[in-house]
Amino acid sequence: MSNSKTRSLALPVSTQVLTLVIGLSIGLIFGLGLVVSGMSNPAKVRNFLDVFGAWDPSLAFVMGGAIAVGVPGFWMIQRRLKPLLTESFELPTNCGVIDRKILPGAAAFGFGWALTGICPGPALTLLAGNGLVAVGFVGMMLLGMLVGRIIKA
Amino acid sequence: MLETSFTPLASLFGGILIGVSALLTALFYGRIMGVSGIVSRLLPPRANGWNQQWTIAFVVGVIVAPLLWQFATGTGVTAQFVASPIVMMIGAFFVGLGSVMGNGCTSGHGVCGLSRLSLRSLSATVTFMGVAFLTATVIRFLFQGYI
């Protein structure tokens, strides 16, 4: 009896472990991408945006590299019937039209991004070992997100 | 003004890693790898039909990555802040609010959306990049690059 119980639990538990291990691995690859590319350094981001200052065009190459693998990759993946670990694709389908409702939000994001040189991904890579300012950044970012979630709900 | 060196190859390679992680997210979980969407859905109110298991693991991975890099290479990760603490806090709030109201940030719209040839993401990306270039330029001319 205990055997059958173990067996009925075995598959979901291993799938859960796989989900966590792969999620962690993808996060590590993404985080290393931010570090290697220089996105994790706020000065590098600001210098990309500050065309009339000490302009550093490196970040155009980050976007270029990501999209160069992204375009063919997404095209191939979206031909699949389902993802490997979940039942169905949950990718946005409203992509063909400009959605005016999101543009003020995008503008507010661009303003904050330029002020600080930090977007949400690098906020996470900066979290460890950069003192109270980095922790405060994540805290205030989460507060902004919470307000946004409440407004949208 | 903090000088940074032009690093086309490292940035291209890092960008490829970012693209690969976006593809793996779609392949395994069928989702967009958008950091603002992933992080904001860890907050209340609870999102329907959203599996938080892999997203928590993902966030841990992103936080740990620079520590792993430091351990593996023996060199620290360069992080130079470009604003005073008070401006950092104000900016952080706008980053959080704006990315949620705009349905995405650099990763979701800029990487995933553009890769999927989404007009919606293109309009969002052009908007946030445009405002960011403008803001940085205003900071340059009114505040000599630092506020």
Side-chain angles (χ1 to χ4, degrees):
Chain A
M1 193 183 88
S2 68
N3 190 24
S4 71
K5 212 171 189 177
T6 315
R7 202 177 297 161
S8 70
L9 279 172
L11 188 64
V13 169
S14 67
T15 309
Q16 274 182 12
V17 170
L18 199 62
T19 294
L20 292 177
V21 169
I22 291 174
L24 183 75
S25 308
I26 296 173
L28 285 172
I29 296 169
F30 176 66
L32 288 174
L34 293 175
V35 168
V36 171
S37 67
M39 284 292 291
S40 59
N41 183 4
K44 208 162 168 63
V45 174
R46 170 67 82 70
N47 283 351
F48 173 67
L49 299 170
D50 189 8
V51 179
F52 299 97
W55 194 47
D56 176 358
S58 303
L59 296 200
F61 290 77
V62 185
M63 203 77 146
I67 293 173
V69 295
V71 171
F74 269 107
W75 183 78
M76 283 191 283
I77 289 166
Q78 287 175 304
R79 292 163 70 92
R80 293 180 56 87
L81 289 176
K82 67 197 253 336
L84 295 174
L85 288 177
T86 56
E87 284 310 304
S88 62
F89 282 105
E90 304 285 343
L91 301 172
T93 53
N94 53 347
C95 301
V97 289
I98 294 174
D99 181 358
R100 286 176 195 280
K101 287 198 304 293
I102 68 172
L103 297 184
F109 164 65
F111 175 68
W113 185 39
L115 275 186
T116 60
I118 302 170
C119 54
L124 298 179
T125 61
L126 287 166
L127 192 55
N130 286 293
L132 204 57
V133 172
V135 178
F137 186 97
V138 172
M140 285 301 284
M141 180 179 82
L142 290 176
L143 182 66
M145 286 175 169
L146 183 65
V147 172
R149 291 285 309 280
I150 291 167
I151 293 173
K152 277 169 70 171
Chain B
M1 164 162 47
L2 294 160
E3 301 270 350
T4 53
S5 51
F6 178 48
T7 55
L9 281 181
S11 289
L12 187 70
F13 181 63
I16 290 171
L17 290 180
I18 292 169
V20 166
S21 58
L23 292 178
L24 292 174
T25 302
L27 179 64
F28 282 99
Y29 305 108
R31 288 279 183 179
I32 293 293
M33 186 202 68
V35 179
S36 60
I38 287 170
V39 172
S40 67
R41 284 183 181 86
L42 295 175
L43 302 168
R46 194 172 162 72
N48 286 331
W50 182 260
N51 174 4
Q52 289 191 338
Q53 277 180 343
W54 70 268
T55 65
I56 292 169
F58 172 86
V59 168
V60 171
V62 182
I63 294 171
V64 169
L67 304 175
L68 191 72
W69 168 266
Q70 200 161 346
F71 179 74
T73 65
T75 53
V77 178
T78 310
Q80 303 152 285
F81 293 116
V82 294
S84 56
I86 180 77
V87 171
M88 288 280 282
M89 298 307 116
I90 295 166
F93 182 82
F94 274 94
V95 166
L97 180 68
S99 60
V100 166
M101 299 307 290
N103 263 49
C105 57
T106 351
S107 50
H109 282 311
V111 173
C112 297
L114 293 193
S115 292
R116 297 177 68 231
L117 311 177
S118 160
L119 189 61
R120 183 168 178 265
S121 285
L122 177 66
S123 63
T125 305
V126 167
T127 303
F128 71 66
M129 292 290 285
V131 171
F133 277 116
L134 190 69
T135 304
T137 302
V138 169
I139 294 169
R140 155 90 16 239
F141 288 110
L142 292 186
F143 305 98
Q144 286 78 46
Y146 187 95
I147 46 170

